[in-house]
């Protein structure tokens, strides 16, 4: 994987993105150049084609079309591709109309951008359903040798079992020391380093690209062999780093304080915070303008449905444990928590009819933009939790308070990767994503999350 501003991006994703952007550009540019009867290089058409391909790619990315899981869901993938072009076309035409003085010199004879857009759609669909299946994806995967057969190795095995569409393939598991075997792949758990060739020989024979140290007790590691592999170009990585890179999470079960100290991340300095604040203000200002009609309609709908306040104010825990009042559109009945704080549940009877709609579409979160402008929250960050639940979860889950090292956000890495929290175990799983964000936060990752939030709104799995 390529690490961009400390966030891991798979090489296949980058390759597919580059190919599709190129096909989008060429299909649009060549069609409209031919339609305009231009036989030389057309600089205006060139710029317009770049804008078209960039817009479509951005929308496709925001709809999750570059996530690994979508490649195996052909119908859903096709639906999202069509939706991407359906959303891009009016935005593209409106933008061209605003800057029509640029387009008039080169494309006025064409009269329509629809055919070029359709050519782009066919180019993307052809790439996804014709070109990609012809590639030997397995040949592009990293070949991994795992040292260890205990519980950490078993987690790697489960990771592969749950989703074979990973960027690596485990060639073998090797046992060393007195580690108790717990993996279930044939008789591999019986293999010891002393039973066969050295690691260096095994790496050469099996064309290993990476060795993962997946053992809690590292006494007895073959240092000379590992150094030999390292000097031959084989990547050596410990389990926690491997897990973080492949899943976008931090494994709480294997987390040790020393890894937190020595790992590359958890950087808190004034300049990134300053840039993030500028990002928050700019994005929030745009969203206030764009969501104003929705805000007014929602406020009227809540008022018409019945008595009670339009906004719901609730105390939450923010940066460094400081408490603040969070505002949301009221989606539950008045006095919904007379019996004390409760987890939200599926088909919660406390939710009103308007509340069910605004929760599903995340409209109830819009008033939090003003919390961002006030500085209580960031636009991107871990979701702020209520003091009651923070105290409870901090006792049950290790490192839970570390999520408060950054400002909470309206959307976050956990929100786009994990459903709504409804139990302690859900909160534990969600924390694995929050810690990844705290460790690797950057404006690049914020932008990735911001775009992916559109997918969560349009496909609201886990919303309650």
């Amino acid at each position: 994987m390529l690490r961009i501003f400390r966030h891991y991006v798979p090489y296949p994703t980058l390759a597919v993105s580059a190919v599709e952007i190129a096909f989008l550009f060429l299909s649009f540019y060549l069609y409209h150049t031919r339609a305009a009867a231009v036989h030389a290089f057309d600089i205006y058409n060139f710029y317009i084609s770049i804008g078209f391909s960039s817009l479509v790619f951005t929308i496709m990315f925001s709809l999750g079309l570059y996530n690994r899981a979508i490649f195996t869901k052909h119908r859903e993938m096709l639906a999202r591709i069509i939706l991407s072009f359906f959303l891009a076309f009016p935005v593209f035409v409106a933008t061209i109309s605003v800057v029509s003085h640029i387009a008039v010199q080169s494309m006025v004879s064409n009269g329509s951008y629809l055919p070029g857009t359709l050519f782009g759609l066919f180019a993307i669909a052809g790439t996804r359903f014709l070109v990609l299946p012809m590639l030997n994806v397995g040949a592009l995967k990293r070949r991994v040798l795992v040292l260890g057969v205990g519980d950490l190795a078993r987690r790697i095995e489960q990771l592969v079992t749950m989703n074979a569409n990973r960027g690596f393939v485990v060639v073998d598991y090797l046992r060393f020391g007195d580690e108790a075997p717990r993996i279930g792949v044939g008789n591999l758990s019986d293999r010891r380093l002393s039973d066969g060739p050295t690691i260096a020989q095994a790496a050469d024979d099996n064309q290993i690209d990476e060795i993962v140290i997946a053992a809690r007790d590292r006494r007895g590691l073959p240092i000379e062999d590992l150094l030999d592999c390292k000097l031959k170009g084989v990547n050596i990585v410990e389990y926690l780093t491997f897990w973080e890179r492949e899943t976008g999470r931090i494994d709480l079960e294997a987390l040790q304080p020393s890894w937190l100290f020595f790992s590359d991340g958890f950087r808190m300095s004034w300049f990134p915070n300053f840039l993030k604040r500028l990002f928050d203000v700019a994005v929030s200002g745009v969203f206030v303008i764009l969501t104003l009609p929705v805000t007014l309609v929602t406020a009227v709908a809540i008022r018409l449905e019945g008595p009670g306040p339009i906004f719901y104010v609730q105390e939450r825990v923010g940066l460094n444990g400081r408490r603040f009042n969070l505002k949301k559109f009221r989606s539950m009945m008045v006095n919904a928590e007379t019996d004390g704080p409760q987890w939200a549940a599926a088909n919660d009877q406390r939710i009103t009819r308007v509340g069910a709609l605004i929760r599903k579409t995340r409209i109830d979160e819009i008033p939090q933009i003003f919390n961002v402008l006030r500085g209580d929250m960031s636009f991107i960050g871990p979701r702020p939790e209520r003091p009651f639940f923070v105290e409870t979860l901090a006792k049950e889950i290790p490192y839970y308070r570390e999520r408060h090292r950054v400002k909470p956000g309206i959307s976050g890495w956990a929100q786009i990767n994990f459903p709504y929290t409804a139990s302690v175990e859900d909160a534990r799983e969600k924390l694995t994503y929050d810690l990844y964000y705290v460790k690797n936060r950057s404006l690049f990752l914020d932008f990735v999350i911001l775009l992916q939030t559109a997918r969560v709104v349009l496909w609201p799995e886990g919303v309650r």
Side-chain angles (χ1 to χ4, degrees):
M1 289 192 184
L2 179 65
R3 203 176 188 192
I4 304 177
F5 298 105
R6 300 200 300 274
H7 177 58
Y8 295 100
V9 180
Y11 283 116
T13 298
L14 292 174
V16 172
S17 301
V19 169
E20 291 188 342
I21 290 175
F23 282 2
L24 277 170
F25 171 81
L26 290 173
S27 61
F28 192 87
Y29 177 81
L30 294 177
Y31 173 82
H32 285 286
T33 299
R34 183 178 180 83
V38 177
H39 302 292
F41 176 73
D42 188 345
I43 186 63
Y44 301 106
N45 198 2
F46 177 80
Y47 286 138
I48 291 172
S49 300
I50 288 179
F52 169 76
S53 55
S54 299
L55 175 63
V56 173
F57 169 76
T58 300
I59 295 178
M60 288 178 61
F61 181 84
S62 67
L63 295 183
L65 278 164
Y66 294 96
N67 294 351
R68 291 169 176 167
I70 197 67
F71 285 90
T72 58
K73 303 175 182 177
H74 294 161
R75 290 186 180 180
E76 185 175 345
M77 182 168 63
L78 180 60
R80 294 193 189 191
I81 291 173
I82 295 174
L83 179 60
S84 298
F85 281 84
F86 180 80
L87 295 174
F89 182 71
V91 175
F92 176 70
V93 172
T95 304
I96 290 297
S97 299
V98 173
V99 291
S100 57
H101 62 283
I102 298 178
V104 69
Q105 298 184 41
S106 62
M107 301 178 68
V108 68
S109 60
N110 181 18
S112 173
Y113 298 101
L114 182 59
T117 303
L118 292 177
F119 267 80
L121 174 59
F122 294 145
I124 293 299
T127 302
R128 291 292 176 101
F129 294 98
L130 296 178
V131 177
L132 292 183
M134 296 171 60
L135 299 177
N136 184 6
V137 179
L140 302 178
K141 292 185 176 182
R142 298 188 323 280
R143 295 175 62 81
V144 172
L145 176 66
V146 177
L147 289 188
V149 294
D151 55 336
L152 301 185
R154 183 169 183 80
R155 289 176 68 80
I156 295 177
E157 180 194 15
Q158 291 171 341
L159 183 66
V160 176
T161 303
M162 288 187 298
N163 185 3
N165 189 29
R166 294 282 177 183
F168 67 93
V169 57
V170 178
V171 176
D172 206 346
Y173 297 83
L174 294 180
R175 180 182 177 188
F176 71 92
D178 297 325
E179 188 178 35
R182 294 188 181 179
I183 65 173
V185 275
N187 62 351
L188 293 179
S189 59
D190 296 329
R191 288 276 306 281
R192 288 180 177 270
L193 294 178
S194 57
D195 295 338
T198 64
I199 294 180
Q201 292 172 331
D204 287 339
D205 295 341
N206 295 282
Q207 298 179 327
I208 299 298
D209 301 305
E210 185 171 69
I211 296 175
V212 180
I213 310 299
R216 296 183 185 274
D217 186 358
R218 298 179 182 178
R219 291 174 296 182
L221 272 177
I223 303 300
E224 292 294 332
D225 266 1
L226 291 175
L227 182 59
D228 190 15
C229 292
K230 181 73 174 181
L231 295 177
K232 289 181 178 180
V234 178
N235 189 36
I236 311 294
V237 62
E238 61 177 346
Y239 167 80
L240 276 169
T241 302
F242 175 83
W243 186 268
E244 175 196 6
R245 185 189 66 200
E246 297 299 330
T247 66
R249 293 179 288 158
I250 304 296
D251 190 348
L252 291 179
E253 301 299 325
L255 186 57
Q256 298 176 347
S258 59
W259 186 79
L260 296 175
F261 302 151
F262 298 118
S263 64
D264 179 24
F266 298 104
R267 298 176 182 176
M268 307 293 170
S269 58
W270 71 270
F271 187 66
N273 290 337
F274 173 73
L275 292 179
K276 185 172 176 63
R277 181 59 183 161
L278 292 180
F279 173 85
D280 289 338
V281 173
V283 173
S284 297
V286 172
F287 266 77
V288 166
I289 297 173
L290 294 179
T291 60
L292 183 59
V294 178
T295 299
L296 296 176
V297 170
T298 303
V300 172
I302 293 174
R303 175 60 67 196
L304 292 177
E305 187 175 28
I310 294 175
F311 297 104
Y312 181 60
V313 180
Q314 194 175 66
E315 189 177 48
R316 297 291 177 103
V317 178
L319 177 64
N320 295 324
R322 186 178 65 84
R323 300 186 182 188
F324 68 97
N325 290 326
L326 177 141
K327 289 185 177 180
K328 300 176 69 173
F329 280 121
R330 183 174 60 86
S331 59
M332 289 189 176
M333 298 179 294
V334 180
N335 300 323
E337 291 192 333
T338 54
D339 297 329
Q342 303 175 39
W343 293 107
N347 302 317
D348 199 320
Q349 298 301 313
R350 300 171 298 164
I351 299 175
T352 64
R353 287 177 297 177
V354 173
L357 176 62
I358 63 177
R359 275 175 170 251
K360 185 169 293 186
T361 55
R362 308 291 174 127
I363 293 175
D364 63 324
E365 313 280 2
I366 290 178
Q368 295 173 47
I369 294 175
F370 295 100
N371 285 110
V372 175
L373 292 174
R374 287 180 55 187
D376 296 326
M377 297 175 60
S378 176
F379 208 89
I380 303 298
R383 287 293 298 151
E385 195 51 82
R386 299 164 65 179
F388 172 82
F389 290 122
V390 169
E391 295 301 323
T392 301
L393 295 172
K395 296 176 182 177
E396 298 283 340
I397 306 173
Y399 305 104
Y400 186 81
R401 294 190 187 275
E402 305 311 315
R403 68 195 300 272
H404 300 132
R405 299 293 184 175
V406 298
K407 285 184 180 180
I410 297 177
S411 183
W413 187 241
Q415 277 61 51
I416 67 172
N417 287 290
F418 192 75
Y420 203 92
T421 303
S423 67
V424 174
E425 286 306 312
D426 285 349
R428 185 189 301 271
E429 190 70 16
K430 192 174 177 181
L431 179 63
T432 64
Y433 291 101
D434 286 336
L435 289 180
Y436 176 90
Y437 175 81
V438 174
K439 179 178 182 292
N440 300 297
R441 70 185 186 122
S442 66
L443 284 182
F444 174 76
L445 182 54
D446 282 2
F447 190 66
V448 168
I449 295 170
L450 181 63
L451 291 178
Q452 289 278 306
T453 301
R455 168 181 58 84
V456 178
V457 172
L458 293 174
W459 279 270
E461 301 94 344
V463 175
R464 292 175 186 170

